[in-house]
């Protein structure tokens, strides 16, 4: 037994939020969730979106996704890597814009 335990949805969100440098207060978490949903809808290709939904939402393995979408496991891995990079970039950019907007409003 390897002791590997998959992350819960909350733990995955916290990990993603820590990668984009967001504080963990409730308002910022909610804002980050809205930004993440928007970024998934606007920044990803259809194939990347499908892979992200199946991997993180449905918790399928890369091989299961590959079988379902008629892709290789390596292609699924590349889609997830590119999606992660695009989302990280989009969220960093959005978070900076929101902070600038909030400071102007004060």
């Amino acid at each position: 037994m390897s002791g590997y335990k998959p992350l819960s949805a909350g733990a995955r969100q916290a990990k993603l939020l820590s990668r984009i440098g967001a504080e963990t207060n409730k308002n910022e978490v909610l804002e980050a969730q809205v930004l993440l949903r928007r970024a998934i809808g606007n920044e990803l290709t259809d194939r990347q979106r499908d892979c992200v939904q199946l991997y993180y939402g449905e918790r399928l393995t890369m091989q299961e996704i590959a079988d379902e979408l008629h892709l290789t496991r390596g292609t699924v891995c590349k889609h997830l890597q590119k999606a992660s990079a695009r989302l990280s970039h989009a969220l960093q950019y959005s978070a900076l814009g929101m902070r600038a907007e909030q400071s102007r409003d004060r």
Side-chain angles (χ1 to χ4, degrees):
M1 190 122 172
S2 69
Y4 171 75
K5 236 179 162 177
L7 294 176
S8 68
R12 284 193 309 272
Q13 285 180 345
K15 186 176 179 180
L16 177 62
L17 292 174
S18 71
R19 288 178 68 187
I20 63 170
E23 297 295 325
T24 55
N25 78 39
K26 275 191 172 192
N27 288 336
E28 288 179 342
V29 169
L30 292 173
E31 287 174 11
Q33 288 174 333
V34 168
L35 289 173
L36 181 58
R37 284 188 191 102
R38 261 190 224 146
I40 288 171
N42 297 331
E43 300 295 326
L44 301 183
T45 66
D46 290 340
R47 190 62 85 185
Q48 288 170 345
R49 194 175 307 111
D50 291 343
C51 289
V52 165
Q53 174 58 35
L54 292 171
Y55 190 73
Y56 292 104
E58 304 296 323
R59 299 183 67 143
L60 298 181
T61 66
M62 287 188 210
Q63 188 59 55
E64 290 169 332
I65 297 167
D67 294 342
E68 186 167 320
L69 299 179
H70 307 289
L71 302 169
T72 66
R73 185 188 175 285
T75 300
V76 171
C77 183
K78 288 288 186 191
H79 283 308
L80 290 170
Q81 288 173 339
K82 288 185 178 193
S84 177
R86 288 178 94 169
L87 291 173
S88 179
H89 179 72
L91 291 174
Q92 286 175 349
Y93 186 75
S94 295
L96 290 174
M98 286 181 62
R99 287 186 191 127
E101 191 175 294
Q102 288 171 349
S103 65
R104 267 187 275 140
D105 292 342
R106 289 181 188 171

